[in-house]
Amino acid sequence: MSISIFLLFLFVSPSFSAFVAPVTKHHVHNTPFYTLKLQLKTPLQPTYLLLHVGATFTSVNCRRNYTSTTSHPIPCNSSLCHSLQSTQSINTKCDIATRNVHSPGGCVISPHKSFALVDSLALPTTDGRNPGQLSVFPEFVFTCSDESSRLLNGRAKKVVSGLAGLGFSNYSLPAQVSSTSSVFSICLSGSPSAPGVAFFGISKPYYFLPGIDVSDQLYYTPIVSYHSAITTKTTQTKRLEEDYFIGVKSVNVNGKPIIINQKLLTVDVHGNGGTRISTTTPFTMLEKSIFKSLTDAFKTESKIMNLKSFKPIKPFSLCYEADGLPETHLGPNVPQIELVMQNDVVWRVFGKNSMVRIVDEGLDVWCLAVVDGGRGSASSVVIGGHQLEDNLLQFDLGTKTLGFSSTLLQYKTMCANFNFSTNDAIKF
Ligand SMILES: *[C@@H]1O[C@H](CO)[C@@H](O)[C@H](O)[C@H]1NC(C)=O
Ligand SMILES: *[C@@H]1O[C@H](CO)[C@@H](O)[C@H](O)[C@H]1NC(C)=O
Ligand SMILES: *[C@@H]1O[C@H](CO)[C@@H](O)[C@H](O)[C@H]1NC(C)=O
Ligand SMILES: *[C@@H]1O[C@H](CO)[C@@H](O)[C@H](O)[C@H]1NC(C)=O
């Protein structure tokens, strides 16, 4: 009897409340960006949203051709609306049937401001190995705005219809799809033809072909999130971001620490200074004095390594001839950069992530993929997309820790190696 119950138990298909989405790299005029693909509206439509780890809300440009039988605005006087307004939004108003009027509930809806909507959204479930059946979230809350076009300077409108907000908020994408877990992970692929992956609500396993569980390879460091208000010049509206900062305490080049004013590495209560992770910044951006310190040290070390330098190619300032620069599976063999965290764990950055290859007519060079953020830059270090490629990052908002793998290439796998073949036995 007990054996048959046991067998019965074995054959009941497991259910998962973890979800997965492909993340694709795109290029517009040599500027890379990353989109997350999900299903939106009724009937469900494949939708590409700009991946933004710091954004509070998911937003969709719904003034342009938005048709769905299930979308409905959030009434002004509803508790959901009050909760949206009290928690984080400065400029997010809830909608009412007619815009541009003063509602009795007291909100003014201007056509230039974003407003909140509810619609169906769907993502495949996952067991960390494959995607499974689609799971629909019928009451997904997002805002209607053209934030993604602004971030992309109006480019890529045909591909990108909004923003996937993964910030620290109750209305971010991870918070709405997995109410029981506060963990999500991203793994950006460096190749536009083979997508990387984002996981929601699962902290392990993360299997990548040929069968490597990357969750075993993570280092952990505390994560701090800060609201930083950003004023948009054109509309004079403020939006809030809930960015993720980590405590980098020093930067090494070939094992030697570079000189950094320590004050710059500390984030203040307004979210200024410190080290921020950004999926919408293509290349790592450093405050001017840190940039100079790093490039000086890199130049010195590359001379010792006999690298043949080449004239700078904008926006980069150190470039080397590809000819004669030995390559390994971790990229070109250049001085190694290390970010040392407050808790002494080290994020190693090899050539594949520190250098970008530029091939043009009669030109083949590798440039240090770091740009000068100037003096007044809000964050002193912004770790950008190129540096994140083929690294798995796990954000745990409950324990406030970031898990990072450094490059997966050292484990002979990469972000594009998640097996996206559907296994229908995996369901919610
Ligand atoms: C509007 O959406 C429909 C269906 O998704 C599409 O066929 C049509 O081309 C779109 N129109 C414009 C102007 O984008
Ligand atoms: C708004 O909600 C409050 C509290 O539920 C209620 O007393 C008030 O009448 C509502 N106002 C309108 C215009 O619906
Ligand atoms: C999310 O909601 C919970 C419960 O309603 C609340 O305690 C918490 O402060 C909210 N978190 C944020 C980031 O708004
Ligand atoms: C990918 O997953 C599918 C479904 O589980 C499986 O049949 C297939 O063998 C996997 N591919 C590889 C290369 O392991």
Side-chain angles (χ1 to χ4, degrees), residues 146-158:
D146 59 0
E147 194 60 25
S148 59
S149 318
R150 201 190 59 76
L151 283 167
L152 293 170
N153 294 323
R155 297 178 296 217
K157 271 190 181 155
K158 283 209 180 91

Side-chain angles (χ1 to χ4, degrees), residues 165-395:
L166 309 188
F168 184 66
S169 101
N170 284 341
Y171 298 99
S172 71
L173 180 63
Q176 290 194 62
V177 303
S178 52
S179 51
T180 53
S181 164
S182 50
V183 178
F184 71 89
S185 297
I186 57 169
C187 201
L188 307 180
S189 165
S191 162
S193 57
V197 59
F199 298 102
F200 302 100
I202 180 171
S203 56
K204 78 189 304 131
Y206 307 129
Y207 274 101
F208 289 80
L209 297 171
I212 293 158
D213 178 4
V214 168
S215 68
D216 291 337
Q217 310 295 349
L218 303 181
Y219 298 90
Y220 297 92
T221 193
I223 193 170
V224 279
S225 71
Y226 284 95
H227 305 255
S228 36
I230 294 170
T231 306
T232 306
K233 282 207 184 79
T234 48
T235 54
Q236 286 302 318
T237 54
K238 273 190 175 176
R239 72 198 154 87
L240 273 178
E241 289 197 353
E242 250 100 329
D243 279 307
Y244 299 111
F245 290 82
I246 51 174
V248 171
K249 72 171 179 188
S250 59
V251 177
N252 297 338
V253 177
N254 272 355
K256 300 164 197 163
I258 66 168
I259 295 160
I260 302 179
N261 174 357
Q262 282 300 312
K263 228 175 128 188
L264 292 169
L265 293 179
T266 315
V267 51
D268 71 17
V269 289
H270 305 294
N272 293 317
T275 301
R276 178 163 68 89
I277 293 172
S278 171
T279 50
T280 52
T281 304
F283 301 104
T284 291
M285 196 183 276
L286 301 176
E287 184 277 339
K288 199 167 205 66
S289 68
I290 304 178
F291 178 80
K292 182 162 189 316
S293 209
L294 179 81
T295 48
D296 285 352
F298 199 90
K299 209 185 280 177
T300 305
E301 292 301 317
S302 62
K303 263 197 197 114
I304 297 171
M305 292 171 72
N306 282 322
L307 307 191
K308 274 187 275 173
S309 64
F310 194 83
K311 67 174 166 43
I313 296 171
K314 274 188 180 169
F316 309 112
S317 65
L318 288 182
C319 298
Y320 301 92
E321 288 177 27
D323 184 30
L325 188 50
E327 263 190 84
T328 70
H329 68 291
L330 304 179
N333 191 16
V334 294
Q336 200 192 115
I337 299 176
E338 292 169 338
L339 307 178
V340 184
M341 306 297 160
Q342 264 160 17
N343 59 335
D344 292 319
V345 296
V346 177
W347 186 336
R348 293 197 163 78
V349 186
F350 297 93
K352 203 71 170 229
N353 291 109
S354 63
M355 307 298 284
V356 61
R357 191 167 193 164
I358 300 175
V359 182
D360 209 343
E361 283 164 56
L363 182 82
D364 188 358
V365 297
W366 287 97
C367 297
L368 180 64
V370 170
V371 297
D372 184 351
R375 277 236 186 267
S377 51
S379 305
S380 303
V381 178
V382 182
I383 300 179
H386 184 77
Q387 193 188 316
L388 301 177
E389 288 176 1
D390 289 320
N391 284 240
L392 187 128
L393 297 190
Q394 180 189 73
F395 298 79

